[in-house]
Amino acid sequence: QRHPPGNEIYRCGNLSMFEVDGFEERLYCRNLCYIAKLFLDHKTLYFDVDPFLFYVLCELDERGYHPVGYYSKEKYSDVGYNLACILTFPSHQRKGYGRFLIA
């Protein structure tokens, strides 16, 4: 079945989380950032994805994996920042996915 690039790091029922390295999958991660830019006015970074890890939450059905949201974080942060961006796609809001991504 088709799924995001990277490693599946979590699965429970029909939900899966994939860890995607921005350096290894530049195009995929840039596209995630471009999608986020559509919904987040303050989103400024979408070209330099190399120093970030992206965690993509997907729903699984008979047709494959469908991204419902993601968050990104810096691989190495001198000041201890952990979360860079978080987004639940509008069609999947109010299902508790944002809370899941933060937890």
Side-chain angles (χ1 to χ4, degrees):
Q1 290 185 341
R2 296 185 58 153
H3 59 80
N7 298 317
E8 184 179 35
I9 59 171
Y10 174 83
R11 181 184 292 179
C12 183
N14 70 330
L15 288 180
S16 290
M17 180 76 75
F18 291 86
E19 181 182 63
V20 184
D21 189 328
F23 179 74
E24 294 176 8
E25 299 291 342
R26 284 186 185 111
L27 182 62
Y28 184 86
C29 293
R30 283 179 187 160
N31 287 338
L32 276 177
C33 290
Y34 287 135
I35 291 171
K37 180 69 176 155
L38 294 171
F39 306 108
L40 302 173
D41 292 339
H42 65 277
K43 178 76 172 156
T44 58
L45 181 69
Y46 42 83
F47 191 76
D48 183 22
V49 295
D50 292 0
F52 294 91
L53 290 171
F54 291 77
Y55 295 87
V56 183
L57 181 63
C58 296
E59 286 182 341
L60 175 64
D61 65 16
E62 63 279 349
R63 295 183 301 138
Y65 293 88
H66 307 283
V68 299
Y70 83 95
Y71 74 90
S72 59
K73 69 176 198 167
E74 291 184 70
K75 294 177 191 174
Y76 309 105
S77 175
D78 294 335
V79 291
Y81 292 149
N82 193 18
L83 185 64
C85 181
I86 183 169
L87 174 73
T88 301
F89 299 136
S91 59
H92 296 283
Q93 290 178 352
R94 305 283 182 210
K95 296 180 181 179
Y97 293 147
R99 183 170 297 182
F100 177 82
L101 289 170
I102 290 172

